[in-house]
Amino acid sequence: MDSMRDMPGKPQVDGNTPTDNRDGDQNELRQQWETVSNHMRAEIGEASYQSWLRPMTVRGMTDGVVTISVPTRFMRDWATAHYQDRLTELWRAENDALAGVEVVVHSAPCTAAEAQPKREAAKAKEAKREKGDDLSAPLDSRFTFDQFVVGKPNEFAYAAARRVAEADSVPFNPLFLYGGVGLGKTHLMHAIARHIREDQPERTVIYMSAEKFMYRFVSALREQNTVDFKQQFRSVDVLMIDDVQFIAGKDSTQEEFFHTFNALVDQGRQIVISADKSPSDLEGMEERLVSRLNCGLVADIHATTYELRLGILQSKAHKLGVQIPAKVLEFLAHKITANVRELEGALNRVVAHSQLVGREISLEATQDVLRDLLRANDRRVTIEEIQKQVASHFNVRISDMHSARRARSVARPRQVAMYLAKQLTSRSLPEIGRKFGGRDHTTVMHAVRKVEELREHDTTFNEDVELLRRMLEG
Ligand code: ADP
Ligand code: MG
C-alpha cells in the first residue's frame, strides 16, 4: 500500500493497470484527473486537498465508472461522503461519457493494521488494565473531544482521532498525528485515551510522552530489567506515544520502540503516535520505522486559519463565562496567529487583567495588555514568506520574484509582493528592493503606488490582495 505521504506532489493515475481501462486512453484519464483535482484544490483549499485528494490514485475507467483508490477504509468512507458527488460533477464536465466515480481501498500489504485484537480472559485483562493505567501519564480533563473546536485545518485529524476512539477494533494502524507546536496534538491524544477508557474500560490504554518512554527504557536497561519493560508495553490494547520526535536519533530507544511497535501491530493492538513532523521528515528515524509508520493513517494538523482561531476564542470565552466584544475576539484572531496555545494564553491574560482592574474588556485595553505578544507576532511575516505565498497565489515561480522578467504575468505578482512587504514588515524600501533581485528603492516605491492605485479601481484585484494580506497575517 502506498502511504499518502510517500506520494509525489500530484494525485496519481496508476499507469500499471491498463487492463482496467477499457473506456479510454490512460493519458486522457490522467489529464481529466489533473483538471478535476485542480478544480477541487481551488474549491476545498490546500489543507483538505493535501489530506484527501493527494492520496488518491486513479485506477482506471470501466463501463464509464472511474475508480479511485485511497489507502484506508476510513479515507474511502470520508471521501465517498464528502467528495464523491462533486468529483463526479467535475469529471462529467470533462468527459460526458462518465457514469460515476467510485472510491475503493488499495489492496493493502499492511494487513496487520486491520486485524482484530484477540480477546483474552476477563481476569487477565483486569490485571493488565491496572498495570497500564499506572504506567500511563495522567490525562488533562480539559482535553476532550467536546472541547476541541473543529475547522478546516484540523477536521481530518479530528475525524481520524474520533474513529480510533469510537471503534472497538483497529480501524488503521498506527494513527500518526502530526503538526506544529500548540495545534492540538496532545489534546486529541488525551481525548482518544479518555474516550476509550470511558467507553471500553476493558481495553488497556497507555498514553505517555516519547521522553517518558525513553526514560523508562533507559532505566530498565540500567536495572537490567528489560524483560519486564517489554512485557508491560506489549500487553496493552492501545499504546499512545506523544511527541515521538524525541526518540528520533536515539538508536537503542528507537530499536526498542520499533520492536514494541511491531509486536503490538502484529497482535492487532492500536498504536497512536504524534510528532511535530511527518514520518518521512523525522530526522534520524530508521527507514523501516518510517515505512511502518507510513503504513497506517497519517493525519496532519495544519496551521490555524482566522476562522478556526475565532471559533476557538468564542468557545473559550463562552466557557470562561465572560462577555467579550466581538471586535476584541476578531482582533485577537487576527493578530495571534502562531498557535492555539498562544491564543488561549492571550485570551486568559485579557480576561485576568479586566477582572483584576475591574474594567470591561475593550480593544484599547487588549492592545495594551498584549503589547509584547503582539509585537512578537508582528515580526513573524518575512519577505520570503510573502514571496512564497504571492507566487503560489498567482501561480508563478518563486524565482520570478527575483528575476528580471517584465512580462505582466510575473511583474504584477512581484509588485504585489513588494507592496505586501512594505505593508507587513518593517523593512525599508532599499532593503525590500534588495530582496527582489537587487532592485532599486524607486522600483519598490513605484510598485507600492501601482498596487494602491489598482486596489482602488479593480475590485477583484483588491480582493486578491486583501486575501493575501489576511493569509500572511494569519
Ligand atoms: P500540541 O500537543 O500540538 O503542541 P496541545 O494539544 O497541547 O498542542 O494544544 C495546545 C493548547 O491549545 C491546549 O490547551 C489545547 O486544549 C488547545 N487547543 C489546540 N487546538 C484546539 C482546538 N482545535 N480547540 C480547542 N482547543 C485547542
Ligand atoms: Mg503536545
Side-chain angles (χ1 to χ4, degrees), residues 265-309:
V265 170
D266 290 343
Q267 291 168 42
R269 314 298 171 91
Q270 177 75 56
I271 313 269
V272 183
I273 284 167
S274 86
D276 64 353
K277 298 188 194 64
S278 74
S280 326
D281 288 338
L282 281 172
E283 273 162 44
M285 274 287 179
E286 255 188 79
E287 198 50 48
R288 54 191 183 135
L289 186 49
V290 171
S291 63
R292 196 85 213 225
L293 291 176
N294 262 327
C295 250
L297 187 78
V298 179
D300 45 351
I301 308 185
H302 299 269
T304 57
T305 56
Y306 173 78
E307 284 72 28
L308 179 59
R309 290 194 295 276

Side-chain angles (χ1 to χ4, degrees), residues 12-15 17-30 32-33 36 57-69 87-88 90-102 104:
Q12 314 211 330
V13 175
D14 184 354
T17 49
T19 48
D20 280 5
N21 182 31
R22 284 163 220 143
D23 296 354
D25 175 71
Q26 199 72 15
N27 254 339
E28 253 167 53
L29 213 54
R30 180 172 293 133
Q32 290 166 7
W33 175 229
V36 169
T57 305
V58 173
R59 293 291 162 190
M61 190 185 206
T62 309
D63 300 331
V65 177
V66 168
T67 303
I68 292 178
S69 72
L87 282 174
T88 309
L90 287 170
W91 208 309
R92 199 164 282 146
E94 297 307 307
N95 176 356
D96 49 19
L98 185 93
V101 170
E102 179 193 40
V104 301

Side-chain angles (χ1 to χ4, degrees), residues 382-384 386-387 401-402 414-445 447-448:
T382 63
I383 294 186
E384 286 74 17
I386 294 173
Q387 292 174 329
M401 292 288 148
H402 314 278
R414 195 190 293 131
Q415 288 176 326
V416 169
M418 288 186 200
Y419 166 84
L420 289 168
K422 181 73 194 109
Q423 300 289 313
L424 303 178
T425 72
S426 50
R427 299 309 187 96
S428 66
L429 294 176
E431 278 176 307
I432 295 173
R434 272 200 292 283
K435 297 258 184 183
F436 284 83
R439 286 182 158 76
D440 195 74
H441 75 276
T442 53
T443 309
V444 182
M445 214 153 68
V448 172

Side-chain angles (χ1 to χ4, degrees), residues 396-465:
V396 299
R397 288 188 298 260
I398 298 181
S399 61
D400 284 331
M401 292 288 148
H402 314 278
S403 79
R405 289 180 60 200
R406 299 169 84 171
R408 162 89 65 91
S409 60
V410 297
R412 189 71 84 226
R414 195 190 293 131
Q415 288 176 326
V416 169
M418 288 186 200
Y419 166 84
L420 289 168
K422 181 73 194 109
Q423 300 289 313
L424 303 178
T425 72
S426 50
R427 299 309 187 96
S428 66
L429 294 176
E431 278 176 307
I432 295 173
R434 272 200 292 283
K435 297 258 184 183
F436 284 83
R439 286 182 158 76
D440 195 74
H441 75 276
T442 53
T443 309
V444 182
M445 214 153 68
H446 172 73
V448 172
R449 288 215 195 98
K450 183 76 202 167
V451 171
E452 276 168 355
E453 189 191 309
L454 282 169
R455 286 193 72 167
E456 268 177 43
H457 296 111
D458 183 340
T459 335
T460 316
F461 178 82
N462 185 40
E463 279 166 8
D464 262 2
V465 176

Side-chain angles (χ1 to χ4, degrees), residues 194-399:
R194 174 174 301 274
H195 195 284
I196 297 179
R197 282 195 187 147
E198 279 169 7
D199 261 32
Q200 305 173 55
E202 73 286 358
R203 288 175 92 192
T204 329
V205 182
I206 292 188
Y207 162 87
M208 68 167 65
S209 68
E211 264 176 312
K212 191 70 169 279
F213 182 90
M214 234 166 67
Y215 172 79
R216 283 187 180 267
F217 174 62
V218 173
S219 315
L221 274 182
R222 201 172 38 235
E223 289 154 22
Q224 301 181 331
N225 207 0
T226 51
V227 177
D228 257 14
F229 175 85
K230 289 179 181 156
Q231 219 40 53
Q232 284 173 343
F233 284 100
R234 291 183 192 181
S235 55
V236 302
D237 296 297
V238 184
L239 176 63
M240 310 183 73
I241 306 280
D242 205 351
D243 289 319
V244 293
Q245 70 272 12
F246 284 119
I247 55 178
K250 310 273 191 307
D251 286 347
S252 56
T253 323
Q254 224 185 96
E255 183 78 7
E256 182 47 38
F257 179 62
F258 184 66
H259 289 315
T260 306
F261 178 74
N262 272 342
L264 291 174
V265 170
D266 290 343
Q267 291 168 42
R269 314 298 171 91
Q270 177 75 56
I271 313 269
V272 183
I273 284 167
S274 86
D276 64 353
K277 298 188 194 64
S278 74
S280 326
D281 288 338
L282 281 172
E283 273 162 44
M285 274 287 179
E286 255 188 79
E287 198 50 48
R288 54 191 183 135
L289 186 49
V290 171
S291 63
R292 196 85 213 225
L293 291 176
N294 262 327
C295 250
L297 187 78
V298 179
D300 45 351
I301 308 185
H302 299 269
T304 57
T305 56
Y306 173 78
E307 284 72 28
L308 179 59
R309 290 194 295 276
L310 191 60
I312 290 173
L313 286 168
Q314 285 161 344
S315 148
K316 308 251 169 198
H318 181 73
K319 234 156 273 149
L320 289 170
V322 285
Q323 280 292 336
I324 302 179
K327 259 212 306 239
V328 170
L329 295 182
E330 286 160 16
F331 174 78
L332 292 174
H334 198 61
K335 289 290 185 183
I336 315 287
T337 57
N339 61 52
V340 183
R341 189 174 297 136
E342 205 163 272
L343 194 63
E344 273 186 331
L347 182 69
N348 288 338
R349 256 165 78 180
V350 170
V351 171
H353 179 265
S354 105
Q355 286 169 349
L356 201 66
V357 301
R359 269 213 322 253
E360 283 189 12
I361 297 170
S362 69
L363 194 55
E364 293 69 37
T366 301
Q367 282 167 320
D368 220 39
V369 176
L370 299 178
R371 180 153 295 149
D372 52 330
L373 193 62
L374 292 170
R375 218 178 296 129
N377 269 280
D378 274 347
R379 268 201 300 273
R380 284 209 173 87
V381 189
T382 63
I383 294 186
E384 286 74 17
E385 280 157 7
I386 294 173
Q387 292 174 329
K388 204 170 129 200
Q389 187 77 255
V390 171
S392 107
H393 183 84
F394 290 104
N395 237 326
V396 299
R397 288 188 298 260
I398 298 181
S399 61

Side-chain angles (χ1 to χ4, degrees), residues 140 142-144 147-151 154 178-189 207 242-243 274-275 301 304 308 311-312 315-316 319 339-342 344:
D140 190 316
R142 294 165 308 157
F143 292 177
T144 60
Q147 310 246 13
F148 193 81
V149 180
V150 185
N154 59 25
Y178 80 92
V181 251
L183 296 182
K185 300 182 296 293
T186 299
H187 189 135
L188 283 180
M189 302 257 294
Y207 162 87
D242 205 351
D243 289 319
S274 86
I301 308 185
T304 57
L308 179 59
I312 290 173
S315 148
K316 308 251 169 198
K319 234 156 273 149
N339 61 52
V340 183
R341 189 174 297 136
E342 205 163 272
E344 273 186 331

